[in-house]
Amino acid sequence: MIGSNVVVAGCALALAVAIGLVAHEWTHAVVLRLARVEYSVSYFPGRTDGLVALLTTRPWAAVTPRPTGSEPPWTLRLAALAPFLLAIPVFGLGAAGYVTTETPVVAAAAIGWLACALPSPQDFSVAVHAHRLLERTADPNTGVTSRAD
């Protein structure tokens, strides 16, 4: 039989991931805003397949930067890798002794939050190829849409 601690820890994990996914996208948005790069945020983009597809496929939120081409590439790179900042509070709580095996609910929430602190493959692609995106954006003959995630 599953104990109540395991059920509560599973719920904490799911809740941390759900909130963390949105926080992940908003870290991109905050850095883009601070760098004065235009962007848009969309929630559940391209979803018409029902509830299961809504929860299991594609991103739950997406930030789409709209650079002019005059921005330095480091701004897009920093925005793409900004979700790493989400790990700071978890490591702080761990160093303070709050995340232990004796508190499975807190540990599960920390694991879920840390999972969202990892940049996605699309984020790494933007970080590596930011200069190409900016070059294509500066060229008026090229229509480019880019997603930070």
Side-chain angles (χ1 to χ4, degrees):
M1 182 163 185
I2 297 177
S4 63
N5 278 346
V6 175
V7 173
V8 173
C11 291
L13 175 69
L15 184 63
V17 169
I19 294 169
L21 287 173
V22 175
H24 174 107
E25 295 304 323
W26 276 101
T27 58
H28 294 308
V30 166
V31 173
L32 290 171
R33 178 174 293 244
L34 291 174
R36 291 185 168 81
V37 176
E38 290 293 320
Y39 66 92
S40 64
V41 179
S42 58
Y43 297 98
F44 302 111
R47 301 290 174 89
T48 59
D49 300 341
L51 183 61
V52 174
L54 177 73
L55 297 174
T56 60
T57 62
R58 295 189 170 138
W60 288 10
V63 174
T64 306
R66 293 188 304 265
T68 61
S70 62
E71 298 87 353
W74 66 265
T75 58
L76 291 180
R77 290 184 176 122
L78 188 60
L81 299 177
F84 277 130
L85 297 174
L86 294 175
I88 293 171
V90 175
F91 288 130
L93 288 173
Y98 291 108
V99 181
T100 65
T101 56
E102 288 83 34
T103 58
V105 174
V106 175
I111 290 167
W113 189 260
L114 282 176
C116 297
L118 295 173
S120 68
Q122 292 91 350
D123 296 339
F124 284 113
S125 178
V126 169
V128 171
H129 301 291
H131 62 285
R132 291 183 188 169
L133 171 65
L134 291 172
E135 289 170 0
R136 288 189 307 223
T137 304
D139 183 9
N141 297 327
T142 308
V144 175
T145 58
S146 173
R147 284 191 30 225
D149 190 80

